[in-house]
Amino acid sequence: METFVDPRFHGTCYRAANWLAVGESRGFRRTRAGFSNQPGTPKRVFVRALISNARTRLCAPMLDSRYHHGAPNMLLTADHMRALPEFCADIPDPRRGQGRRHPLPAALGIAAGAVLCGARGYKAIAAWAADLSQQARARFRCRYRNGRYEVPSRTRFRDLLISIPPEHLDRALQGWNAQMVGTDEGLALDGKTMHAQRSR
């Protein structure tokens, strides 16, 4: 478990209850758009283990299967986010010029990232995209307008994914997977499985 304490206080009650102070946050706070752009006042971070060997289990290369819930998902790193649009850059854009509101590599990269993180269906992909912070949207190279990075809507994701030939997306994801596996031993992706999930 974790909790945050204003630095004006010492967290005495938490310390007395065997909570461990592990440092301070960076001062960013949650907002409706994700996180604030500028740091504010850092908070003291306290944690408490619920089992005796929690640190050993959390430091293991792979989380014990007993603690997996639902479908196997992954957490995308900043490098994963930047690389996904790069591998989609060579896919021909089927849209007409006036219909290209969002860059194709960004939209496909976000859709692939959403599925990797457990999204199933167009609505879930759009919801995952809407929850991306401005920093994450910048990594995906989303459209920048009026001082903010924008993501496609559910309808735009659906129309775009339906119009992309499966072999083009499969080839891009296989290339991304081959590169990422070389740098991240905990990552594995079957491109054909990815396409099957995409079509739902």
Side-chain angles (χ1 to χ4, degrees):
M1 294 190 296
E2 68 176 3
T3 191
F4 301 90
V5 176
D6 191 287
R8 295 176 298 171
F9 306 102
H10 297 290
T12 304
C13 63
Y14 290 107
R15 296 176 191 272
N18 295 322
W19 287 70
L20 179 65
V22 295
E24 293 187 345
S25 70
R26 295 175 59 188
F28 293 94
R29 59 185 178 82
R30 286 190 176 276
T31 65
R32 294 184 64 181
F35 287 91
S36 57
N37 294 325
Q38 298 296 325
T41 303
K43 305 291 185 183
R44 297 182 192 273
V45 182
F46 286 81
V47 298
R48 182 177 181 183
L50 299 180
I51 56 177
S52 59
N53 60 345
R55 180 176 298 183
T56 300
R57 296 189 182 187
L58 291 174
C59 292
M62 297 294 292
L63 185 65
D64 191 299
S65 60
R66 291 175 294 176
Y67 304 106
H68 292 179
H69 299 283
N73 304 331
M74 66 172 289
L75 180 64
L76 293 180
T77 67
D79 288 339
H80 292 154
M81 294 180 188
R82 294 189 188 100
L84 277 168
E86 292 177 4
F87 280 90
C88 296
D90 293 332
I91 296 178
D93 196 330
R95 301 170 296 179
R96 293 179 298 176
Q98 64 268 31
R100 300 182 181 184
R101 181 177 181 182
H102 298 277
L104 180 68
L108 294 180
I110 290 174
V115 174
L116 283 168
C117 292
R120 297 294 180 266
Y122 304 120
K123 184 176 181 180
I125 290 174
W128 188 88
D131 284 340
L132 289 173
S133 67
Q134 286 294 301
Q135 187 176 28
R137 295 180 185 191
R139 292 176 185 139
F140 278 111
R141 300 173 189 170
C142 293
R143 179 192 189 204
Y144 189 75
R145 182 171 177 267
N146 297 329
R148 294 182 58 78
Y149 290 97
E150 299 180 342
V151 295
S153 65
R154 179 181 64 85
T155 302
R156 291 187 182 273
F157 275 121
R158 182 198 63 199
D159 294 344
L160 186 58
L161 292 173
I162 289 175
S163 64
I164 297 294
E167 61 273 15
H168 291 177
L169 185 56
D170 184 72
R171 184 164 52 247
L173 293 175
Q174 290 291 354
W176 178 85
N177 185 46
Q179 176 176 304
M180 291 296 107
V181 166
T183 58
D184 186 349
E185 63 182 14
L187 173 64
L189 168 67
D190 179 344
K192 293 182 176 59
T193 299
M194 184 75 176
H195 167 60
Q197 299 290 359
R198 176 183 69 83
S199 64
R200 292 180 183 177

